[in-house]
Amino acid sequence: MKIAIFTENAYAGGLDTFLTNLINYWPNDDDELILICNQAHPGLRVIRRNLRRECAVIAHRIPLQWNVMRWTNSLPRVVGKALTVGLRYIFFLSYIPQLHQIFNKICPDRLLIVNGGYPGGETCRAAAIVWAHDVKREKSIHNFHNLAVPVRWWEGFIENRIDAAVERSTKKFLSTSKACAETIRVRPSMSNSSKIGFIYNGTECPPAQTGTPNTLRERLSIPAESPIVSMLGTYEPRKGHRFLLEAFTRVRKAIPEVHLVISGFGHLEEVDQVKDFVDELNLHAAVHVEGFWIDKHELIEESSVVVVSAQAFESFGLTLIEAMSHGVPVVSTRIGGTVEVMNEDEGGFSVDTDDLEGFASSIILLLSDNDLWRKKSSGGYQRYLDHFRIERVSEEYAAAINATSSTEQNSPSK
């Protein structure tokens, strides 16, 4: 069977990890996989590099509104917003014939749409409608990895009709957690849909140790005896960098030798804002604000604690299970899907998003109490084995895609 995986993305990060893991661990060797992605996606090079299973990659050049109209960022906010809203649906209509051409050229049998959020990438919504236009095709699966946002009143007339078309065209809406899946009901056309489900995210087992010396500490000038707290994720403001840095000032007072490493993709202005926070709090000697160059496995292996400090909705928290797979304890804010991942805090601690003292003291506890560290390490690793192995994830997505509309279950995962 020929299966197309369609995505649109403006960030490099967790969605790329999901895609490469899904493809690399796809359970059916006879299936032909094709990844269709916007050529401007900053993570596309990383995806290509990390693919180990044979998979054709089509990097289309469809003009996307967010990419074409970057110049509006320099205009007054009201003017830029008006232009963006005014042209949004003209762009949307332009996607339809171009997507028809792509699908008719490659002629896949099934389609999995992987969207950042909802409505998310506009080509993702258009792809669902275009795909279903051919009545001989099985309806697509629409997978979204971040929360759905409400329809704005001034766009309601058009948005509700697009959503209704997407709902009719889709076999199943799948997200990464129950909390995230349910957010799509804020869209009026989806509020009573019976097609909503979730499949927990997963990650691969860490690579075997090669025995070669670890150079990360040397490159960052971190002494061998200094514990490392790490944060892996994009530099979006919702990830809570300011909250983390303020908590870290408290951690450093208790454990002066500790270092914090922040690694991930971010636009220049986002990274600069985090660097400004570091300078403001006088943490530049102990905080390393890095890009996407650090190997995540190498960083997690060197870390004593991995943190997720999200202050706005977190659909799942892939970093949490990546740390658990290494047996590294985690400290997370309690928001969205992270609650489901952490469960009863087997692998670390979770605190409310406004509990700065609790976040800091949880890190300090793990860095100070070896017995507690080992208990959380063991508990998190077992939770990873029981629930978050990538092989299980790929099998469930394959089953959802291969099912026909008449036989598919209400929820492939739960």
Side-chain angles (χ1 to χ4, degrees):
M1 184 177 293
K2 184 185 287 188
I3 299 170
I5 302 172
F6 184 95
T7 191
E8 176 188 329
N9 205 348
Y11 272 88
L15 202 63
D16 301 328
T17 301
F18 169 81
L19 287 166
T20 53
N21 282 342
L22 182 70
I23 293 168
N24 287 337
Y25 287 89
W26 193 258
N28 304 324
D29 292 337
D30 294 335
D31 287 339
E32 180 183 350
L33 302 184
I34 303 169
L35 176 64
I36 306 170
C37 181
N38 52 300
Q39 193 268 342
H41 172 39
L44 189 56
R45 179 176 57 85
V46 177
I47 292 176
R48 290 181 188 272
R49 185 177 70 232
N50 291 335
L51 286 178
R52 299 191 299 270
R53 187 197 195 277
E54 185 174 347
C55 176
V57 177
I58 296 176
H60 68 75
R61 296 179 179 271
I62 295 175
L64 304 178
Q65 184 186 15
W66 57 264
N67 195 34
V68 172
M69 299 190 67
R70 289 183 189 274
W71 58 271
T72 60
N73 295 333
S74 62
L75 298 176
R77 181 175 176 82
V78 174
V79 176
K81 197 72 172 178
L83 281 171
T84 299
V85 172
L87 294 174
R88 178 179 180 184
Y89 299 108
I90 295 175
F91 273 89
F92 187 88
L93 289 173
S94 76
Y95 301 150
I96 292 175
Q98 296 177 86
L99 291 171
H100 264 300
Q101 185 177 11
I102 291 174
F103 290 146
N104 289 337
K105 182 177 181 180
I106 62 178
C107 297
D109 303 300
R110 293 285 195 275
L111 176 65
L112 169 64
I113 297 168
V114 180
N115 203 350
Y118 194 91
E122 293 290 11
T123 57
C124 291
R125 293 202 297 173
I129 297 170
V130 169
W131 178 264
H133 185 264
D134 186 340
V135 295
K136 298 187 293 294
R137 290 170 170 157
E138 185 68 25
K139 292 181 178 180
S140 59
I141 300 288
H142 199 112
N143 173 231
F144 61 103
H145 286 245
N146 211 330
L147 81 165
V149 297
V151 176
R152 295 174 290 197
W153 66 266
W154 62 86
E155 295 176 336
F157 181 81
I158 300 178
E159 280 295 295
N160 291 336
R161 280 153 182 78
I162 292 175
D163 282 352
V166 173
E167 205 278 340
R168 289 193 303 269
S169 303
T170 300
K171 178 169 65 173
K172 196 76 182 177
F173 293 97
L174 293 174
S175 192
T176 58
S177 66
K178 182 178 180 180
C180 192
E182 287 298 311
T183 67
I184 203 170
R185 297 191 188 277
V186 303
R187 311 286 292 190
S189 298
M190 317 286 192
S191 60
N192 296 315
S193 178
S194 62
K195 302 176 179 180
I196 299 168
F198 65 96
I199 295 176
Y200 280 142
N201 233 333
T203 189
E204 59 185 344
C205 291
Q209 297 298 306
T210 61
T212 57
N214 191 307
T215 60
L216 181 62
R217 286 179 177 271
E218 182 180 344
R219 292 184 67 177
L220 297 178
S221 300
I222 300 176
E225 64 276 8
S226 295
I228 292 176
V229 175
S230 63
M231 174 189 180
L232 296 91
T234 65
Y235 281 87
E236 297 171 89
R238 69 181 179 88
K239 293 292 186 178
H241 295 87
R242 178 64 186 241
F243 175 88
L244 170 60
L245 290 167
E246 289 183 351
F248 187 70
T249 61
R250 292 156 170 79
V251 175
R252 197 162 179 243
K253 286 178 182 178
I255 307 172
E257 66 273 19
V258 67
H259 282 247
L260 171 64
V261 178
I262 302 173
S263 174
F265 174 82
H267 297 302
L268 182 61
E269 62 273 15
E270 295 170 332
V271 178
D272 285 345
Q273 185 178 51
V274 174
K275 290 180 178 179
D276 288 342
F277 292 156
V278 171
D279 290 339
E280 179 185 334
L281 297 169
N282 196 28
L283 290 171
H284 51 271
V287 175
H288 309 264
V289 179
E290 302 297 328
F292 211 44
W293 65 269
I294 296 179
D295 180 271
K296 65 182 179 182
H297 294 295
E298 186 177 6
L299 177 55
I300 294 173
E301 278 293 321
E302 283 296 305
S303 299
S304 298
V305 178
V306 171
V307 295
V308 170
S309 53
Q311 294 295 292
F313 192 90
E314 190 75 23
S315 60
F316 182 75
L318 184 62
T319 299
L320 297 173
I321 64 170
E322 289 175 334
M324 290 176 182
S325 74
H326 283 263
V328 177
V330 295
V331 175
S332 172
T333 47
R334 193 180 293 120
I335 188 167
T338 65
V339 178
E340 296 170 57
V341 175
M342 295 297 290
N343 193 31
E344 298 298 327
D345 285 3
E346 291 101 320
F349 294 103
S350 55
V351 303
D352 293 337
T353 53
D354 60 353
D355 188 0
L356 195 64
E357 294 295 340
F359 197 86
S361 62
S362 296
I363 297 173
I364 293 168
L365 271 174
L366 289 169
L367 294 177
S368 306
D369 188 330
N370 290 335
D371 290 339
L372 177 64
W373 191 97
R374 283 190 289 269
K375 176 184 176 183
K376 295 297 187 179
S377 169
S378 176
Y381 182 68
Q382 189 59 51
R383 183 155 176 75
Y384 158 73
L385 292 177
D386 291 342
H387 300 284
F388 302 123
R389 297 176 70 245
I390 189 59
E391 291 84 354
R392 185 268 310 160
V393 178
S394 294
E395 288 168 2
E396 292 193 23
Y397 275 101
I401 290 171
N402 290 324
T404 62
S405 297
S406 60
T407 61
E408 60 99 19
Q409 300 297 310
N410 185 51
S411 173
S413 176
K414 297 292 178 186

